[in-house]
Every structure is written in structure tokens, then in C-alpha cells.
Amino acid sequence: MILASIMAMASPQTAQDASKAHRATPIEDTATWITDDDYPLEALRRKEAGTVGFKLIISAEGEITDCQVTGSVSPILDQASCALLTSRAHFRPALDDTGKPIASQFNSRINWSIPEPVPVNIGSWHSVAMLKMGADGVLLSCHPETVGAVVDKEAGGQCGAFQVGKAETFITELAGITGRPFTFVVETALIFDGLPGIQPDFRYSKPGYRLVALKKMRFEVSEEGRLEHCEAVATGREGLLGGVPDVCDDAVVYIPARAPDGSPRRLSGTFWMAASLPDR
């Protein structure tokens, strides 16, 4: 679980010593402003963490009119903090000593912290997403097909990486198609060497499909269950997939594999990512 906690500290005001004075107060629980799911993926991949200090300017109507970073961690976490706060935080306005609403500010900090991941079982898998795209580039539907247990932060298997009803410009650029509906296939597979299990039945290699891009990675899992020696294997067809996050960007820790004598052993494996278009 990712910890993104808010330590609330409304700034003191001299008017608050009077009987009717009151500082601006959050309407909802501050824990709902930023949740575990809000940790920016790029910040996770860069292992960025720390405490972002911020100041919210609150109008006499209780609306947030500005968010200022007072303690920076990184551009990604700074921007995410203010974007989430201004969209989710709501306040009761501050009151002066006569009980009249006044403009004020709210100072606090957000602690972005990445704990150690929970180890997962080693296992091979193959996941497919059949994407139906509209002529305007909006994703109309996504049908997932998965063999094996996919280790992925997003829910919904391969489809968890996409949002129905949203314009997926990356997909249209990858497919090279605009102005008409089309079906697009995205596949990922993780296969460990020397272990019994599945063999990926890739769509892109079947008749009736045209390969658009292909990415391949080789990696090792240490005796402690950590990903090591992750390297790209040139396919000559990487295209736009070359810059897409892959298994080497994940903070996955595995339960170590065991040798026949019960001792931990090192494993190697291959990760594939493919994009293709059906001819039909």
C-alpha cells in the first residue's frame, strides 16, 4: 500500500482569539483528499518520495483560489499535490471577530511515502486487451483476456491501463489510424525460464493480424526475489512502445524460487509487449 497522508495545520489568525472568530476548517476528512491510488506512476518509477508543504488560499466563500508549494519534493509530486487538493478539498470559510466570513489560508503538508512492496508468487502470465476505438480516438470498450496471474498495479488486468470514454491519443498514434473506428490489440506476457506453465499464444503472430510494434526485455530475479539485470532485447519493431513502462519499471518483489534442496535460487525470464491490428 502507498501512503499519501496529510498533516493538517490551519494557520493561526489573530482574530481567532475573539469569541466569534474561527479559522477555515475542512468540510470533509482530510484523509479523503489524497488516497493510495493517487501516487503518480512516474513518481513511483523514479522512486520519488518526501513531504510536500503547501498553502491553500481560501476565499470568504470557502473556495480555494490558489495553491502554493511551500516545501518541494519534485515537480511531479508538487504538481500532483496541488491538483488533487484544489479539486477535492472543501472548506468552511474563516470568520472574523464579528462572525463575518473572511479570506484566509490553510497550511499543511502531504507525506508521499513508498513502503516496501508485498512479495508475490513467481508465475508466468499472458494478458490481452482488445480495444474498440471510435473515429474520434475515444476508447469505446476494452475486452480483457488473461492466462495466469497478472502482477499489475492497475485493476482489471490489461484493460486496467486504459479508460473507457477517454481519448487515447497514444493508441491512435501507435496504430497510425485517425478518422475511422478500428480495433487495436495490446498484449503483454511475462514468462519465467525453466518453470512449467503457460506459453503465450500471441495474436500478432497469427494470420489475420498485423504487427504494429514489439518490445522485449530480459531480466533476472535474485535469490532475494528482486528484479535485476533488466535489459532490452532489440526487436527492430519497438516504435512508440520503446518509451512505454514495462516490467523493469515495476517495484515488484517476488517470493524467492526454491531449488530442490529448499535453498533460494535465481531465475531468469522474458517480458513481451506487443501491439497489433486485426485485418478484419
Side-chain angles (χ1 to χ4, degrees), residues 191-266:
I191 307 299
F192 288 94
D193 299 341
L195 292 183
I198 68 166
Q199 290 298 320
D201 186 21
F202 287 113
R203 301 292 195 283
Y204 77 82
S205 62
K206 293 179 177 295
Y209 288 83
R210 176 170 60 86
L211 179 66
V212 174
L214 178 64
K215 181 177 183 177
K216 183 179 180 181
M217 312 291 296
R218 286 288 293 171
F219 64 91
E220 294 182 4
V221 177
S222 72
E223 292 83 353
E224 293 76 34
R226 303 279 180 178
L227 279 175
E228 294 181 350
H229 308 304
C230 209
E231 298 178 343
V233 178
T235 67
R237 298 296 304 271
E238 287 82 2
L240 291 177
L241 288 183
V244 174
D246 51 56
V247 64
C248 296
D249 298 303
D250 289 339
V252 176
V253 174
Y254 291 95
I255 297 173
R258 296 287 174 179
D261 63 0
S263 61
R265 70 183 178 106
R266 180 175 291 267

Side-chain angles (χ1 to χ4, degrees), residues 35-272:
T35 69
D36 297 343
D37 296 332
D38 293 319
Y39 215 117
L41 290 179
E42 186 61 28
L44 282 175
R45 295 183 185 110
R46 297 184 180 187
K47 294 180 170 44
E48 295 178 350
T51 301
V52 176
F54 66 89
K55 176 171 66 175
L56 299 177
I57 307 303
I58 304 166
S59 71
E61 290 75 34
E63 297 178 353
I64 298 173
T65 60
D66 191 22
C67 176
Q68 302 171 12
V69 172
T70 58
S72 176
V73 172
S74 72
I76 295 174
L77 291 179
D78 293 350
Q79 182 178 5
S81 297
C82 274
L84 291 164
L85 290 166
T86 53
S87 65
R88 295 179 181 172
H90 302 88
F91 288 86
R92 297 181 184 89
L95 305 178
D96 65 13
D97 56 359
T98 67
K100 179 182 177 181
I102 57 172
S104 62
Q105 64 185 41
F106 181 87
N107 295 284
S108 186
R109 301 189 298 269
I110 302 174
N111 181 33
W112 297 93
S113 177
I114 308 173
E116 284 294 312
V118 177
V120 297
N121 288 318
I122 287 176
S124 299
W125 51 262
H126 176 215
S127 182
V128 182
M130 301 288 289
L131 308 175
K132 297 289 187 180
M133 305 295 298
D136 55 359
V138 171
L139 176 60
L140 303 178
S141 67
C142 182
H143 176 67
E145 300 175 18
T146 300
V147 178
V150 179
V151 178
D152 202 328
K153 290 183 287 295
E154 287 99 356
Q158 185 67 38
C159 282
F162 306 101
Q163 184 176 339
V164 174
K166 177 184 176 182
E168 295 283 357
T169 55
F170 176 77
I171 296 299
T172 55
E173 291 176 6
L174 191 59
I177 297 175
T178 57
R180 65 175 177 85
F182 64 95
T183 299
F184 196 72
V185 183
V186 178
E187 300 179 81
T188 53
L190 188 71
I191 307 299
F192 288 94
D193 299 341
L195 292 183
I198 68 166
Q199 290 298 320
D201 186 21
F202 287 113
R203 301 292 195 283
Y204 77 82
S205 62
K206 293 179 177 295
Y209 288 83
R210 176 170 60 86
L211 179 66
V212 174
L214 178 64
K215 181 177 183 177
K216 183 179 180 181
M217 312 291 296
R218 286 288 293 171
F219 64 91
E220 294 182 4
V221 177
S222 72
E223 292 83 353
E224 293 76 34
R226 303 279 180 178
L227 279 175
E228 294 181 350
H229 308 304
C230 209
E231 298 178 343
V233 178
T235 67
R237 298 296 304 271
E238 287 82 2
L240 291 177
L241 288 183
V244 174
D246 51 56
V247 64
C248 296
D249 298 303
D250 289 339
V252 176
V253 174
Y254 291 95
I255 297 173
R258 296 287 174 179
D261 63 0
S263 61
R265 70 183 178 106
R266 180 175 291 267
L267 283 179
S268 57
T270 307
F271 173 83
W272 285 271

